[in-house]
Amino acid sequence: MKITKICCIGAGYVGGPTMAVIAQKCPHIQVTVVDLNAERIAAWNDEDVNNIPIYEPGLSEIVAEARGRNLFFSTEVEKAIDEAQIIFISVNTPTKTYGKGKGMAADLKYIELCARQIAKVSKDDKIVVEKSTLPVRTAEAIKSILDHTGNGVKFQILSNPEFLAEGTAVSDLLHPDRILIGGEIATEEGQKAIQSLVDVYANWVDSDKILTTNVWSSELSKLTANAFLAQRISSVNAMSELCEKTGADINEVAKAIGMDSRIGAKFLKSSVGFGGSCFQKDILNLVYIAKSYGLHEVADYWEQVIIMNDHQKKRFSNKIVQTLYNTVADKKIAFLGWAFKKDTNDTRESAAIYVADDLINEQAKIAVYDPKVPAKKVLADLDYLETRSAEANRDFVSSYEEPYAACSNAHAIAVLTEWDEFKTYDWQRIYDAMHKPAFIFDGRNLLNRTELEAIGFVYQGIGS
């Protein structure tokens, strides 16, 4: 099948950037991104391309090049489904908040709604691609829904998980480590469908980096990759606590073990804990799947990665309280960073949310500065926890447009995101405007301890 039209359902952090790059690299293919959220689609279509809803370095330039040429953003979901030969499903798969599997299993209601809508609208054969992160064997459920529509349309289901790191998503899409495509490799129709998607990516990705597998291996590979990465972070964070007790330095330990070619240096940076939409969700999903098959030792092993991550966040907030003479009531704590990592405006599962929540429970006043996260998002993140009323959150939290105001009259500063600009600030000016002693809790080991202590700061990092 020669592909000329692609549709993607879901204009979020995966669908938007992925389709923008496909459109840029495949000018002969019309790419339409659809979403029921009219406000989000309007933002993607904003005349000022700097106002698109997702911040990723390089993304606005790609959107500017392709939008209106062969990249379109629309709320006309059914029209796009009808016209497309390949339909990517890139909707949210959050952790369930109700019923069986609550707090652990992936909530697949949006996936099922997509499948039913595709089944209802389609008049000719389609290739349906799972782009969302899904539990293994989800393709079976999607195929069952699609194959029982009774309208004679034939569907092929492919799994094509994303391996994007937010903050470097554009680079990851342009120069991927691998493209993974899973399908029915045992059938001729399945092989043709796989080849159709291989041909799309082959416009810019070398063939030796395009890996094809059966659909179950592809689905499970995504969960496994995220679990392994998160495990490394929890492992180094576990060692950071031991370093603090023994006088070792986690940065020196990480450097020493990272030089071992069997281990490697990536994902060995100790911090206040990992966040983002994928790591925790995917590990909980993996734990639930393992338990559902009776694999309790496997489930317990992976669940410990989450337990360690939660402990690291709690440990960081406890350290702030203990260091500030066991009370932070009515004290101003400046948060530098709210996004879960630098170079993104995504705050999902950010450590900052949970540290702030703990400190508000201790009656601290939180002053937030993040270069890409607006005040309403900060408050929405805290409201989502439902720890207290929205009015109470507004009493305890304020956001600032620039860092010096956020830090002025603060008793302490907590670095929660590793934005590069934090290293360039006039720290003498910040020190002069703070209550003394002036504390810095560097949750990312980002700043220069020696320089800050020379100014007069009481500095505490992670793992030293």
Side-chain angles (χ1 to χ4, degrees):
M1 184 188 295
K2 184 168 173 56
I3 304 304
T4 57
K5 290 188 178 181
I6 288 174
C7 156
C8 175
I9 305 173
Y13 282 90
V14 174
T18 303
M19 294 303 119
V21 170
I22 288 177
Q24 185 205 37
K25 294 297 183 181
C26 307
H28 56 287
I29 298 176
Q30 178 181 308
V31 180
T32 305
V33 185
V34 291
D35 201 295
L36 293 175
N37 186 332
E39 185 181 350
R40 178 181 287 174
I41 291 297
W44 278 111
N45 285 321
D46 196 298
E47 283 186 24
D48 183 350
V49 80
N50 292 312
N51 291 334
I52 59 175
I54 290 167
Y55 174 74
E56 281 286 337
L59 179 59
S60 58
E61 291 85 349
I62 289 175
V63 171
E65 177 188 334
R67 193 177 63 185
R69 180 192 71 190
N70 67 317
L71 175 64
F72 303 93
F73 296 92
S74 171
T75 55
E76 295 184 76
V77 179
E78 295 194 351
K79 180 174 184 286
I81 290 171
D82 178 43
E83 293 178 352
Q85 295 139 316
I86 295 182
I87 302 164
F88 285 84
I89 298 179
S90 191
V91 296
N92 198 15
T93 52
T95 302
K96 282 186 78 174
T97 56
Y98 59 90
K100 188 181 178 186
K102 178 181 177 181
M104 202 163 281
D107 190 342
L108 300 179
K109 65 182 178 185
Y110 302 115
I111 296 290
E112 181 172 335
L113 285 170
C114 283
R116 293 191 181 280
Q117 192 167 26
I118 292 166
K120 184 182 81 170
V121 171
S122 298
K123 302 187 195 69
D124 51 14
D125 296 354
K126 308 283 187 190
I127 298 169
V128 178
V129 182
E130 300 174 335
K131 200 69 185 168
S132 305
T133 303
L134 300 168
V136 64
R137 301 201 78 87
T138 302
E140 204 166 42
I142 294 175
K143 186 157 181 57
S144 176
I145 292 167
L146 293 173
D147 285 351
H148 288 85
T149 58
N151 58 6
V153 174
K154 289 187 169 61
F155 295 95
Q156 282 294 324
I157 318 299
L158 302 181
S159 168
N160 175 220
E162 52 83 18
F163 295 101
L164 307 179
E166 288 183 44
T168 59
V170 171
S171 175
D172 295 340
L173 286 161
L174 294 173
H175 312 287
D177 288 337
R178 78 295 203 191
I179 297 292
L180 181 58
I181 300 170
E184 289 187 15
I185 52 179
T187 68
E188 186 179 345
E189 293 83 359
Q191 288 178 3
K192 285 180 179 176
I194 291 169
Q195 191 58 47
S196 293
L197 190 52
V198 167
D199 290 344
V200 172
Y201 284 112
N203 282 282
W204 78 97
V205 180
D206 291 341
S207 59
D208 61 347
K209 290 193 172 183
I210 302 177
L211 179 65
T212 59
T213 67
N214 77 42
V215 70
W216 320 127
S217 296
S218 177
E219 287 179 334
L220 190 55
S221 292
K222 170 61 177 176
L223 297 183
T224 306
N226 280 344
F228 270 58
L229 293 172
Q231 179 205 52
R232 283 173 70 95
I233 297 172
S234 280
S235 295
V236 78
N237 279 341
M239 300 314 297
S240 75
E241 188 168 13
L242 188 58
C243 284
E244 290 171 22
K245 296 295 186 187
T246 59
D249 186 320
I250 192 61
N251 296 313
E252 294 175 348
V253 172
K255 185 175 182 180
I257 67 168
M259 291 176 75
D260 186 325
S261 60
R262 298 167 300 174
I263 297 173
K266 291 184 177 179
F267 279 78
L268 288 182
K269 192 159 176 55
S270 188
S271 70
V272 69
F274 60 74
S277 64
C278 287
F279 282 1
Q280 177 160 312
K281 174 171 74 80
D282 290 357
I283 294 173
L284 289 172
N285 197 349
L286 196 58
V287 169
Y288 182 74
I289 292 167
K291 284 182 175 178
S292 72
Y293 284 111
L295 308 177
H296 298 291
E297 291 81 6
V298 175
D300 291 346
Y301 177 81
W302 287 110
E303 192 167 16
Q304 193 61 42
V305 174
I306 298 292
I307 293 169
M308 189 65 231
N309 193 54
D310 290 341
H311 171 67
Q312 189 77 345
K313 290 181 278 193
K314 182 71 71 176
R315 197 167 75 81
F316 187 75
S317 54
N318 287 343
K319 183 190 282 189
I320 293 174
V321 175
Q322 290 163 8
T323 306
L324 268 62
Y325 316 110
N326 287 315
T327 178
V328 290
D330 294 319
K331 291 179 180 176
K332 181 179 180 181
I333 313 293
F335 274 36
L336 291 181
W338 191 263
F340 86 90
K341 65 186 285 193
K342 72 174 184 177
D343 292 334
T344 179
N345 59 350
D346 194 355
T347 64
R348 288 175 291 181
E349 293 298 328
S350 174
I353 302 168
Y354 297 95
V355 174
D357 194 55
D358 285 347
L359 294 177
I360 294 169
N361 285 339
E362 298 288 337
Q363 306 283 299
K365 299 287 189 179
I366 308 297
V368 179
Y369 168 73
D370 187 289
K372 292 295 176 184
V373 180
K376 70 176 184 178
K377 187 71 181 99
V378 171
L379 291 168
D381 288 336
L382 287 166
D383 292 346
Y384 184 76
L385 297 181
E386 297 183 343
T387 308
R388 62 194 70 79
S389 70
E391 292 73 22
N393 282 329
R394 279 147 186 78
D395 288 341
F396 284 105
V397 180
S398 50
S399 290
Y400 291 80
E401 293 293 318
E402 60 95 37
Y404 297 102
C407 296
S408 180
N409 289 315
H411 293 79
I413 293 169
V415 179
L416 275 304
T417 312
E418 70 281 20
W419 287 102
D420 291 330
E421 69 175 63
F422 297 164
K423 293 183 281 190
T424 68
Y425 290 168
D426 182 343
W427 284 100
Q428 182 68 56
R429 175 184 168 188
I430 290 172
Y431 176 80
D432 292 342
M434 287 177 66
H435 290 284
K436 309 298 184 297
F439 295 94
I440 288 188
F441 299 91
D442 191 349
R444 297 290 177 173
N445 287 344
L446 179 74
L447 305 176
N448 187 312
R449 177 182 197 137
T450 305
E451 289 178 7
L452 293 172
E453 288 182 339
I455 290 170
F457 283 103
V458 180
Y459 176 95
Q460 292 204 19
I462 302 275
S464 61

